[in-house]
Amino acid sequence: MVEKMESAGLDEASFKSIAELAYKESGLQLVAEKMSMIQSRLRHRLKAVGIDTFPSYAQFVCSESGVSERREMISALTTNVSHFFREQHHFDILQDKILPAKIDYLRQGGRFRVWSAGCSNGQEAYSIVMATLDRYPEIAELDFRVLATDIDQKVVDFASKGVYPQRLLSGVSPDRLKKYFTECKNDSEPSFQAKSSIKSRVTFKELNLLSDWPMKRQMDVIFCRNVIIYFDAVTQNSLWPRFKNQLKPDGYLFLGHSERISDPDLAGFANQGPTTYRHKKAHEELAREENKCL
Ligand SMILES: C[S@@+](CC[C@H](N)C(=O)[O-])C[C@H]1O[C@@H](n2cnc3c(N)ncnc32)[C@H](O)[C@@H]1O
């Protein structure tokens, strides 16, 4: 393994220092099996800062003067793949179960808050808004907002602009494209700008899930999908109670298709179908209510 790493350019000692740093800073677990991908992503960073060798880069990025490069390094190491309406079943639950249960509360002046945690380029956040407004157009006049956060400032900046080349819009139906986007005529590649009807509903912010969360109010729904897959069990388990505290007692947590809460009972969540979780207490109360009605 050592020989393989060295011949590929990224030596074992540098890999170890960089992996430790990435884990400490962001929870990302860099594994030796992904060495060639990690190396190629980091090569761009070496070039950008004018450093020739991986040992010098590792030394620099771990040093006090490497603070801003650390953010660039994490940005280079994160995987930002996302799609509009990815994992459609969560949007179905939002439209068919969550919103119908909340609409009267909203009509009476209540607020509805959704968090897209690890939002990448914003496709998830804008999909949440489109699904919500499609289900109840009147919500455009009510107190509904999405907070979308990511550790990577570059994707946050991209998402805030809300401009997508056509190739990234494959999950958006022609009807939705017409309703929620305007074509940008000047760009060389056909691209579309999110209209203010959806853009104004989302606040994009840089936020590391491992740091303190500044949000004071609880959420109705948290989408944290295809993010914790890059974390180890210790980091994942540290997040469940924090998500639970950040959710309203009847709130929902959605994870990505290959992610699970290993022991939902212990974490205080009830599993409500594939990658869908709810506060255990709310789930039990709901079951009692349903039994009463039988
Ligand atoms: C594969 S994307 C998922 C995007 C979207 N949630 C989806 O399912 O399509 C993973 C995102 O998680 C972000 N991420 C990774 N570690 C993070 C951390 N510690 N805090 C916040 N975001 C993080 C990455 O920057 C990346 O944009």
Side-chain angles (χ1 to χ4, degrees):
M1 178 55 77
V2 173
E3 263 179 27
K4 200 171 160 213
M5 285 180 187
E6 280 175 354
S7 67
L10 178 54
D11 58 287
E12 193 168 76
S14 305
F15 174 74
K16 197 164 169 275
S17 323
I18 288 170
E20 278 171 13
L21 181 67
Y23 181 75
K24 193 170 119 241
E25 294 279 314
S26 68
L28 288 180
Q29 256 209 313
L30 302 186
V31 289
E33 291 74 37
K34 299 240 169 104
M35 183 63 70
S36 60
M37 185 191 79
I38 295 164
Q39 183 183 258
S40 106
R41 288 178 176 189
L42 289 178
R43 262 197 207 292
H44 294 288
R45 292 312 315 152
L46 263 72
K47 210 167 156 203
V49 290
I51 290 178
D52 291 334
T53 67
F54 280 104
S56 310
Y57 179 76
Q59 199 179 20
F60 168 60
V61 80
C62 294
S63 70
E64 263 179 46
S65 48
V67 178
S68 69
E69 178 53 23
R70 263 174 239 166
R71 293 172 60 157
E72 297 289 343
M73 182 189 84
I74 298 298
S75 168
L77 291 172
T78 49
T79 298
N80 304 124
V81 177
S82 188
H83 317 284
F84 284 95
F85 295 96
R86 186 181 199 179
E87 299 174 43
Q88 175 65 41
H89 65 285
H90 292 143
F91 298 98
D92 294 341
I93 296 174
L94 177 67
Q95 289 190 315
D96 301 340
K97 228 171 161 175
I98 302 176
L99 288 166
K102 285 280 167 183
I103 188 66
D104 283 341
Y105 170 71
L106 267 160
R107 284 175 182 143
Q108 286 155 21
R111 58 176 75 217
F112 185 64
R113 294 289 181 271
V114 184
W115 180 19
S116 166
C119 63
S120 189
N121 286 316
Q123 292 98 321
E124 187 173 82
Y126 290 124
S127 302
I128 294 166
V129 179
M130 287 187 269
T132 301
L133 296 182
D134 280 351
R135 180 67 181 87
Y136 290 109
E138 65 184 286
I139 289 184
E141 309 301 323
L142 303 176
D143 192 353
F144 156 58
R145 293 204 61 80
V146 175
L147 171 70
T149 62
D150 201 284
I151 192 171
D152 184 350
Q153 183 66 52
K154 287 201 177 84
V155 292
V156 171
D157 290 344
F158 180 96
S160 310
K161 291 194 184 98
V163 178
Y164 295 90
Q166 196 156 25
R167 73 192 139 79
L168 293 184
L169 286 156
S170 58
V172 182
S173 67
D175 280 354
R176 280 182 170 144
L177 195 62
K178 205 166 150 210
K179 190 168 165 193
Y180 295 116
F181 291 85
T182 332
E183 189 167 358
C184 309
K185 297 279 181 211
N186 320 337
D187 288 6
S188 48
E189 190 183 357
S191 58
F192 292 81
Q193 159 89 64
K195 288 187 185 170
S196 77
S197 57
I198 56 172
K199 209 163 165 261
S200 65
R201 293 282 151 178
V202 191
T203 305
F204 288 100
K205 287 251 181 267
E206 183 187 340
L207 179 67
N208 182 350
L209 283 174
L210 266 52
S211 66
D212 289 338
W213 302 344
M215 300 86 79
K216 295 204 169 58
R217 291 183 189 275
Q218 290 177 312
M219 302 287 163
D220 293 278
V221 190
I222 298 176
F223 285 69
C224 184
R225 308 183 310 162
N226 309 298
V227 179
I228 58 133
I229 192 176
Y230 303 105
F231 300 160
D232 66 2
V234 173
T235 308
Q236 291 185 6
N237 289 334
S238 72
L239 286 172
W240 309 137
R242 302 185 69 200
F243 280 136
K244 190 163 170 262
N245 287 340
Q246 200 62 52
L247 266 182
K248 286 186 186 165
D250 60 348
Y252 282 79
L253 169 67
F254 294 135
L255 301 181
H257 63 283
S258 54
E259 300 164 337
R260 300 280 175 279
I261 299 183
S262 54
D263 189 342
D265 210 40
L266 184 72
F269 281 100
N271 195 333
Q272 295 235 307
T275 57
T276 302
Y277 296 89
R278 222 173 165 200
H279 270 205
K280 203 166 90 183
K281 206 164 144 249
H283 173 76
E284 284 164 0
E285 271 165 20
L286 213 73
R288 268 199 297 279
E289 285 301 309
E290 278 165 9
N291 280 340
K292 259 193 242 164
C293 298
L294 291 177

